[in-house]
Amino acid sequence: VMIIALSLILFLTTTIFYTFLLLNNLEKESLSHLKTDVSVLQYSLESLKEQALVHAQSVAQDSSIKEAFIKNDKDALFRLAVDFMSAQKTSTLLVSSLSGQVIVRAEDKERTNDNVSNEVVVKRAIAGRRTATVEYKEGIISPEISVIAAVPLRDGNRETRKIIGTVTTGFIVDNAFVDGIKNTTKLDVALYADNILSATTFVASDDKSRWVGIK
């Protein structure tokens, strides 16, 4: 009986010890995997920022954009902005004056009566700096997270290079974005704005709906 009891104790001790080692290794591997996946997510956002900056800069350097802006030809400016937004596949593209007044908004021709001078990226563009950031605003169902970039719009004079306005472009960070992250990392992703779900790879029981908008 003593031998059986000792054997049982030895077996249980060994099992617990190796189970602990296994769980500890699994924990370390999971944490390591998560760190890698978070780096992928961060890299994806930084890449979007850089892409938005490049797009904004290409618009700001276009001679036709500058000419239409200086002539205050809003119809021509709108057509050019729409062409750029379509080609660049951005979610927004707007050109504003030095005071922040929106001159043209490619996604909404009628919405030009607002002022964007209080937006951080626009403020920095007016001051001559190229800036990109991640921001969110209220949406119909859920908050809308976007990567936004703004650059100065300068006149065509090579000597003065005077700032005459700003160009802002951006991308919406939506379900398609997080699906791309999942395809890369095999990890499910949920993005929140002010504690409200904005985009996610998780789907409901119908395999289609996503529970965005919930706290």
Side-chain angles (χ1 to χ4, degrees), residues 108-162:
D108 189 348
K109 186 177 183 179
E110 304 302 321
R111 190 179 160 202
T112 57
N113 59 347
D114 52 332
N115 191 292
V116 292
S117 60
N118 286 329
E119 295 185 9
V120 174
V121 291
V122 176
K123 280 184 179 179
R124 292 177 179 173
I126 292 173
R129 297 169 58 190
R130 302 165 66 249
T131 310
T133 189
V134 178
E135 62 180 33
Y136 77 90
K137 62 181 180 181
E138 295 301 323
I140 298 174
I141 299 176
S142 63
E144 191 176 90
I145 299 176
S146 299
V147 170
I148 300 295
V151 301
L153 176 64
R154 301 177 185 271
D155 62 20
N157 191 322
R158 293 185 177 181
E159 294 180 2
T160 61
R161 298 287 291 157
K162 182 181 178 181

Side-chain angles (χ1 to χ4, degrees), residues 37-49:
D37 294 337
V38 167
S39 297
V40 171
L41 176 58
Q42 186 65 36
Y43 174 78
S44 299
L45 287 172
E46 292 301 322
S47 296
L48 268 187
K49 287 182 183 180

Side-chain angles (χ1 to χ4, degrees), residues 19-68:
T19 300
F20 173 78
L21 286 180
L22 177 62
L23 290 174
N24 191 43
N25 287 335
L26 286 174
E27 181 183 9
K28 289 180 179 179
E29 288 179 8
S30 296
L31 287 172
S32 177
H33 192 194
L34 281 172
K35 287 180 180 179
T36 301
D37 294 337
V38 167
S39 297
V40 171
L41 176 58
Q42 186 65 36
Y43 174 78
S44 299
L45 287 172
E46 292 301 322
S47 296
L48 268 187
K49 287 182 183 180
E50 188 58 36
Q51 191 176 350
L53 278 171
V54 169
H55 287 334
Q57 194 65 50
S58 66
V59 175
Q61 291 176 343
D62 185 80
S63 59
S64 297
I65 288 283
K66 293 179 182 180
E67 183 180 354

Side-chain angles (χ1 to χ4, degrees), residues 143-188:
E144 191 176 90
I145 299 176
S146 299
V147 170
I148 300 295
V151 301
L153 176 64
R154 301 177 185 271
D155 62 20
N157 191 322
R158 293 185 177 181
E159 294 180 2
T160 61
R161 298 287 291 157
K162 182 181 178 181
I163 298 174
I164 56 176
T166 65
V167 173
T168 304
T169 62
F171 301 93
I172 295 176
V173 181
D174 54 11
N175 290 332
F177 174 79
V178 293
D179 284 344
I181 299 296
K182 183 175 181 178
N183 289 337
T184 302
T185 65
K186 309 305 178 185
L187 187 74
D188 281 297

